[in-house]
Amino acid sequence: MTTARDGDRAESGRAAAQERWTRSAWATAICLAASGLLAAWGCGGAVVEDTPVPGVDGGADARADARADAKQPSPADAAPDGAKPDAGKDALPEYVDPGCADVPPPIEQFECDPYAAVNPCGEGEGCYPFVDTPTSPCTPETYGALCHSAGEGGQGDPCTDGCQGGHVCVITGQGTQCVQLCDLSSPNPCPDGLVCGAVDVPGIGGCI
Amino acid sequence: MHLTRRGAAVALALALVACGARSGLHEGGDPPELLSRDGVRGRSECVTDRDCDADACHGVRCDLGVCLPPRPVVCDDHDPCTADACDPATGACRATRLALDLDRDGVPGPIAGKKPGEPGSCGDDCDDASARAFPGNVELCDGVDNDCNGVVDDEARFVPAPGEAPRLVSDPSLALASAGGLAFGDTSTGYISAYSAQLALGDTKLVVRELSATGGADGPPVAINETAGDAFGGPVVWTGDRYGVAWSDRRDGNYEIYFNTLAPDGHKTGPDVRVTSAPDFSLSPTLVWNGSTFHLVWQDRRSGSFELYGRQLSLDGALLGDEVVLPSAGGAESPWLAGSSSGLALIDRIGDSQDSAIELRRLGAGFVQEGPTLLLADHGRFEAPYVVKNGERYVALWVQKDPHRVFGAVLGPSGALEVPATELSPPGTQSRGPIALPLGDRLVLLYSRQSADGYELYSQPLTGALVADGAEAQLTSSPGDDFAAAMTFGAAGDVGVLFNGRLPDAGGGLKSAVYFSRLVCAAGK
């Protein structure tokens, strides 16, 4: 199920997403977005993360490095209205908000529904949410869900062996861990003691 | 008077002689024989009692021109707490209380050498220097033993201000609201809250909102980051004339740490300061103002696994010095920083989701570590490390999972562990999300405990040694989960709490929302 709003952007984003899935076994480590529960909780909550898998070339770190390399824009590229970009880790002049008044909406790429009991994914696969963050200040993110071979990790397990279907790998301030997907609008959808917290993929919740 | 005429004449003559003696007319001659205060040396004639030259307390009186032998007035009211004395002018007894009521609260303190209320103390005011303390008084939260039962602020608990329901801080039209931080400026500025909320699909922004100190009208929400990409945060601290706020923000593709200062009304004072520029995620900023600089610590995965980094910023938000790596045994996350001008303490969690530890260290200027790193808990599943400076001590809190239980420990001024890991939540419960408000010699623990309707907020006063000190108070009672994010003193000793709760959504379900509640202290039974 793909619900991309913009055909070109969606295809482009889809290719990028497939690329990221190809390069890593797990396309997630999501940031959980409910800080109050855990005092210091990832990015205020939990972040869906690209989990590197041993032996697989190019995990999250490789991608992040590549993004970081690629994202160093020229001042003209990233600084409309004369704003200056950040100068890098050794010298960080004041960041000037570019003021993104007309950022396009996020690009949605749903190959499957992570909450559905039955999915179009192949045997041994699960449906996993993902997010591709914007690489410049005024471009939209791409998010959605893609089929991928299921891992072994259940609720609370480290993501090192991937996550079972119906789970997502998140950064929660407790190492990367697989958490069960949950419905954010339900009053108590999680196992005893756990709560449903939003992750940084729109509409996705995980039991923390 | 029953004098005869002859007697009166004699008495008058003698009186004149006596008067002459007092006036020196008889100098050089023999003084008349008069009655001394020590008793009778002789008899003198008299007209009135006063002619017998004795005060009324000696019982000497003139009867028929003759001073009769004394019959001293004995004053004793049989009250050991009074000093009894005879009034020489009138001969009446006067009882003066030995115990004084110096503070004029109507209850005397003990006499010297006695303790209040003990036998013979004659007074049971436990503090005769304070009119706010006396037996029978109503106990208040004022640091005084008002009712003199030996316990200061006994049964003190922080409860919602009477008549004030929790205030919805986040815009009800926004989704995914999540509390970040809370600071109190002064009574004119009130509080500043920081929270994240989804302003548009895929665009979660950091928002600050001014909150009235006393429950009045709140200011409008102000978005901090104006760029695309999610932002989460942020701790907020007050410096005396401005706020500092930090957050993580993925405007540039992966989460980086940003900082800015805010005017008392919550508006940014300048451009955002980008603190990190590194591969991979930089998350979970924690911020302290120590009176001269901001100290900022976060978790950063630039080198492959999460490590803790620190950076100082000036009052104006300028980056100072270099980034500092704060070494850990590996996989350090969830940092929380506390302290003041006298030093800092940093708590964090190391390990993976199954095997972790809670570590605490003290830091000096420039993030230089002072003393060893202490492992407060090891080989377990832990979350939510938190530390607060309480007087000269640091109180550490965390959660041990399976089931979720709140633990605490106290680090003494010397850096030694004074109170080892102690379970603070009621046994048999699922309890999470602890934070605390320091009171110097005591503290108030705020945490969430699971009930049939989800997690509810509770406050529990604790002694400095983490022993329950008074009654627990339930702060929320609503469908869904409530978790506190920040707590700080407000005006006149009340306490502001920013917490995550739930709000009914249009679809009949619940959506996350941020609330503010003002707590006041109630004491006594």
Side-chain angles (χ1 to χ4, degrees):
Chain A
M1 178 180 70
T2 301
T3 57
R5 296 172 181 169
D6 182 308
D8 293 340
R9 275 209 314 272
E11 283 309 308
S12 168
R14 181 185 179 85
Q18 292 290 0
E19 166 68 11
R20 75 200 303 274
W21 282 92
T22 302
R23 295 176 63 191
S24 73
W26 288 95
T28 27
I30 302 179
C31 212
L32 199 64
S35 61
L37 174 59
L38 298 175
W41 221 15
C43 35
V47 197
V48 172
E49 148 154 283
D50 304 326
T51 305
V53 171
V56 177
D57 183 32
D61 302 328
R63 280 193 309 282
D65 288 343
R67 282 192 203 131
D69 293 341
K71 78 183 179 192
Q72 301 299 333
S74 70
D77 290 336
D81 304 324
K84 296 178 182 177
D86 188 274
K89 73 171 83 173
D90 296 323
L92 297 173
E94 288 180 334
Y95 185 92
V96 177
D97 281 338
C100 304
D102 300 312
V103 180
I107 302 164
E108 298 179 16
Q109 291 183 9
F110 282 91
E111 185 177 285
C112 52
D113 180 357
Y115 288 103
V118 178
N119 259 309
C121 302
E123 187 175 346
E125 289 187 330
C127 180
Y128 299 96
F130 77 94
V131 61
D132 252 350
T133 56
T135 53
S136 66
C138 297
T139 55
E141 68 182 26
T142 301
Y143 76 98
L146 294 170
C147 294
H148 197 273
S149 54
E152 298 178 359
Q155 175 68 43
D157 291 335
C159 303
T160 46
D161 295 321
C163 297
Q164 299 170 5
H167 292 71
V168 63
C169 180
V170 295
I171 295 170
T172 61
Q174 304 169 60
T176 57
Q177 59 175 310
C178 301
V179 299
Q180 180 183 316
L181 293 170
C182 56
D183 179 358
L184 287 166
S185 64
S186 294
N188 192 15
C190 292
D192 183 46
L194 302 181
V195 299
C196 188
V199 302
D200 61 349
V201 180
I204 302 296
C207 293
I208 301 298
Chain B
M1 302 292 280
H2 301 286
L3 294 175
T4 63
R5 185 171 297 172
R6 183 186 65 85
V10 172
L12 177 60
L14 289 173
L16 291 172
V17 170
C19 290
R22 291 191 188 102
S23 61
L25 291 176
H26 290 276
E27 285 182 5
D30 292 331
E33 191 175 39
L34 298 174
L35 186 68
S36 77
R37 290 176 181 274
D38 299 324
V40 179
R41 290 203 309 267
R43 293 189 170 198
S44 298
E45 296 298 328
C46 56
V47 176
T48 67
D49 292 349
R50 295 177 62 88
D51 296 332
C52 297
D53 193 32
D55 63 39
C57 296
H58 285 81
V60 179
R61 67 187 189 280
C62 183
D63 187 12
L64 299 176
V66 176
C67 290
L68 297 179
R71 288 190 296 178
V73 176
V74 177
C75 292
D76 183 1
D77 63 359
H78 303 292
D79 182 350
C81 294
T82 57
D84 303 316
C86 176
D87 183 349
T90 64
C93 285
R94 290 185 305 187
T96 304
R97 299 207 68 84
L98 295 172
L100 304 177
D101 182 15
L102 298 175
D103 58 9
R104 299 186 178 184
D105 60 7
V107 180
I111 61 175
K114 296 288 186 180
K115 294 179 179 176
E118 76 175 2
S121 65
C122 300
D124 54 1
D125 190 338
C126 58
D127 184 357
D128 205 30
S130 171
R132 292 186 294 167
F134 56 87
N137 194 15
V138 175
E139 189 71 29
L140 303 173
C141 291
D142 56 359
V144 173
D145 180 12
N146 304 94
D147 60 2
C148 283
N149 70 347
V151 183
V152 174
D153 296 356
D154 55 317
E155 301 294 327
R157 64 261 181 213
F158 282 88
V159 298
E164 287 186 24
R167 285 143 66 183
L168 182 63
V169 174
S170 54
D171 189 320
S173 67
L174 302 181
L176 304 180
S178 178
L182 180 72
F184 181 74
D186 55 43
T187 51
S188 62
T189 61
Y191 300 88
I192 281 288
S193 62
Y195 61 97
S196 55
Q198 184 177 278
L199 271 63
L201 196 63
D203 185 16
T204 299
K205 290 198 183 303
L206 181 69
V207 177
V208 298
R209 186 171 193 188
E210 192 178 6
L211 303 175
S212 159
T214 56
D218 301 326
V222 178
I224 292 298
N225 60 312
E226 298 166 6
T227 51
D230 294 335
F232 298 98
V236 187
V237 297
W238 171 251
T239 67
D241 69 349
R242 71 198 71 180
Y243 298 96
V245 60
W247 69 95
S248 53
D249 178 322
R250 65 179 186 193
R251 66 181 71 168
D252 288 310
N254 74 68
Y255 289 98
E256 303 289 357
I257 303 296
Y258 289 84
F259 174 90
N260 211 329
T261 52
L262 310 176
D265 65 0
H267 286 84
K268 294 199 290 188
T269 58
D272 297 339
V273 176
R274 183 173 173 178
V275 178
T276 61
S277 179
D280 217 311
F281 292 169
S282 305
L283 301 169
S284 303
T286 174
L287 184 66
V288 163
W289 169 254
N290 74 346
S292 57
T293 60
F294 294 102
H295 283 70
L296 177 61
V297 171
W298 67 93
Q299 67 180 69
D300 198 307
R301 203 168 57 175
R302 68 182 67 174
S303 59
S305 63
F306 276 117
E307 293 179 289
L308 303 185
Y309 281 70
R311 191 79 188 254
Q312 292 183 74
L313 297 100
S314 72
L315 178 63
D316 295 326
L319 293 163
L320 302 174
D322 296 322
E323 285 179 331
V324 175
V325 181
L326 303 165
S328 287
E333 295 184 66
S334 298
W336 196 278
L337 191 64
S340 63
S341 58
S342 60
L344 303 169
L346 175 66
I347 193 170
D348 59 273
R349 178 196 175 284
I350 58 174
D352 62 26
S353 65
Q354 294 293 340
D355 185 10
S356 60
I358 299 292
E359 61 177 14
L360 177 68
R361 73 191 90 177
R362 290 186 303 139
L363 302 172
F367 298 105
V368 175
Q369 184 162 340
E370 297 176 343
T373 297
L374 300 177
L375 278 185
L376 302 179
D378 199 3
H379 297 302
R381 299 182 67 214
F382 304 109
E383 67 179 24
Y386 179 90
V387 65
V388 64
K389 193 169 195 296
N390 192 32
E392 296 303 311
R393 292 166 170 76
Y394 289 100
V395 176
L397 303 171
W398 67 93
V399 170
Q400 181 170 340
K401 302 168 80 169
D402 307 319
H404 296 85
R405 293 168 291 160
V406 175
F407 282 77
V410 178
L411 188 69
S414 67
L417 199 58
E418 290 187 346
V419 178
T422 302
E423 185 171 354
L424 303 178
S425 50
T429 65
Q430 296 265 15
S431 300
R432 307 178 74 179
I435 59 174
L437 183 74
L439 301 176
D441 60 340
R442 297 161 293 137
L443 68 155
V444 178
L445 169 69
L446 207 63
Y447 71 102
S448 295
R449 197 164 77 210
Q450 193 179 35
S451 68
D453 276 342
Y455 282 90
E456 303 292 356
L457 271 177
Y458 289 82
S459 71
Q460 171 66 66
L462 300 173
T463 67
L466 304 185
V467 177
D469 182 28
E472 178 184 77
Q474 182 174 347
L475 306 182
T476 61
S477 179
S478 59
D481 301 306
D482 297 317
F483 287 96
M487 174 165 59
T488 184
F489 271 118
D494 58 8
V495 174
V497 177
L498 193 71
F499 66 96
N500 291 302
R502 292 297 182 105
L503 183 71
D505 64 16
L510 297 171
K511 64 192 294 186
S512 55
V514 177
Y515 292 88
F516 172 84
S517 190
R518 196 167 65 93
L519 308 182
V520 296
C521 184
K525 299 296 183 185

